Amino acid sequence: MNKKQINIFTCLLICMILSLPVLSSFQVKADGSGMVDPVYCTDGSLYPIVDSADLLTDEEEQSLADHIYEVENQYESAIVIVTINDLGNRDVTAYADDFYDYNGYGYNGTNNGILFLIDITSRQWHITTTGTAIGVFTDSAQADLIDVCKSDLSAGYYYRSFDKFISACAKRQQNVIDSKTFTPGKLFICIVAGFLLALLPLFYFIGQLHTVHRETGASNYSQDGLSLSNRSDRFLRVAVTKTARPKESSGSSTHSGSSGTSHGGSSGSF
């Protein structure tokens, strides 16, 4: 081996050594069961994007992660996006639940959060919700999330699809907060609506009095007192007992993962 070859070999060895910390910080691999490993940042925290199917560029991953961090910090609930090539021997629900639970995802020491899983081979998607996210992202809310991003997902615009998903998660959480906040504007609307509703029966009864008019003299009134010429018994009222029909639930369907943690969720194809 000549001097030039030794120098090249030395440079390659140095490059490999220097790249080890980066590789160990952003490692994605599959174990025997088909589960991929989570991705860790250099500070040891869990990275919210696990793109083991390699659908995104590094720049797109970082942009999505920045978007997620912004939403997480505002609403205190984790958002995780996972892409895989193969489910292995698991079904999509079990895979998503176990990935979230056993890797310790959640916000600030809690398990609150939502995970969006894409299996590119079977073209399946799954949403799993945990902790407070179960109540926020109800079954109907999950359907809305998918409606927002499914067309881009089917067309292969993965970055745009995931970015829309994150924005839809933020919008849903803000709507839940707004629905629980009583503002002066809502008070004014309630007062006006109540006033208008009170006027409706009043105008109705006033309209029934169109035959009533003022009598200017007393000649039309009877002078002989009250005389009953005919008597009869009439059934006037009946008591009716009503039972309200149970309303359809607008909440979340839940199940337990293999870890025993409760999850909401939904699945489909794209």
Side-chain angles (χ1 to χ4, degrees):
M1 183 179 293
N2 58 39
K3 185 177 181 179
K4 183 178 180 180
Q5 291 175 326
I6 293 175
N7 290 336
I8 294 174
F9 178 78
T10 303
C11 290
L12 290 174
L13 183 61
I14 293 173
C15 291
M16 291 178 60
I17 294 173
L18 292 175
S19 66
L20 286 176
V22 177
L23 292 175
S24 62
S25 298
F26 295 95
Q27 185 180 25
V28 180
K29 64 180 181 180
D31 61 19
S33 65
M35 289 284 288
V36 300
D37 287 340
V39 178
Y40 293 93
C41 301
T42 53
D43 62 358
S45 61
L46 286 163
Y47 198 59
I49 308 294
V50 182
D51 183 27
S52 64
D54 200 23
L55 305 180
L56 305 165
T57 66
D58 293 342
E59 292 76 13
E60 288 173 338
E61 284 189 35
Q62 188 58 56
S63 178
L64 292 174
D66 290 341
H67 193 179
I68 287 175
Y69 291 143
E70 179 183 351
V71 175
E72 284 183 345
N73 291 332
Q74 184 174 359
Y75 299 106
E76 300 184 351
S77 185
I79 300 175
V80 185
I81 295 175
V82 182
T83 72
I84 59 174
N85 283 311
D86 186 11
L87 286 169
N89 57 359
R90 299 170 181 263
D91 67 59
V92 67
T93 301
Y95 194 112
D97 292 347
D98 289 351
F99 189 89
Y100 192 94
D101 293 341
Y102 291 114
N103 290 314
Y105 284 97
Y107 181 81
N108 198 23
T110 70
N111 65 354
N112 304 332
I114 182 170
L115 180 145
F116 189 29
L117 173 70
I118 299 297
D119 175 26
I120 197 63
T121 299
S122 64
R123 298 187 68 81
Q124 293 185 79
W125 60 263
H126 182 78
I127 293 175
T128 187
T129 58
T130 315
T132 58
I134 295 176
V136 172
F137 299 103
T138 60
D139 293 348
S140 61
Q142 292 174 43
D144 292 339
L145 296 180
I146 294 301
D147 287 342
V148 168
C149 67
K150 186 176 180 180
S151 60
D152 285 325
L153 193 62
S154 299
Y157 301 124
Y158 301 112
Y159 170 79
R160 189 162 66 188
S161 176
F162 296 148
D163 195 55
K164 287 182 177 180
F165 179 86
I166 298 166
S167 295
C169 286
K171 182 179 180 180
R172 169 60 184 175
Q173 291 176 99
Q174 186 61 50
N175 288 343
V176 170
I177 293 174
D178 291 343
S179 68
K180 297 178 180 179
T181 304
F182 201 76
T183 63
K186 291 182 179 179
L187 176 61
F188 175 76
I189 292 173
C190 290
I191 293 174
V192 172
F195 179 74
L196 293 176
L197 289 174
L199 289 178
L200 290 177
L202 177 62
F203 288 140
Y204 173 78
F205 288 119
I206 290 176
Q208 301 302 308
L209 300 177
H210 61 277
T211 60
V212 178
H213 60 275
R214 183 177 180 179
E215 183 62 63
T216 57
S219 60
N220 291 328
Y221 292 99
S222 174
Q223 303 296 323
D224 300 327
L226 178 65
S227 176
L228 297 177
S229 59
N230 188 17
R231 291 178 296 176
S232 63
D233 295 328
R234 294 183 179 182
F235 184 71
L236 299 179
R237 296 180 179 86
V238 60
V240 179
T241 301
K242 297 182 178 180
T243 303
R245 179 183 296 175
K247 297 182 178 179
E248 293 183 5
S249 174
S250 59
S252 298
S253 303
T254 59
H255 61 275
S256 294
S258 65
S259 67
T261 303
S262 181
H263 293 280
S266 55
S267 303
S269 57
F270 61 94

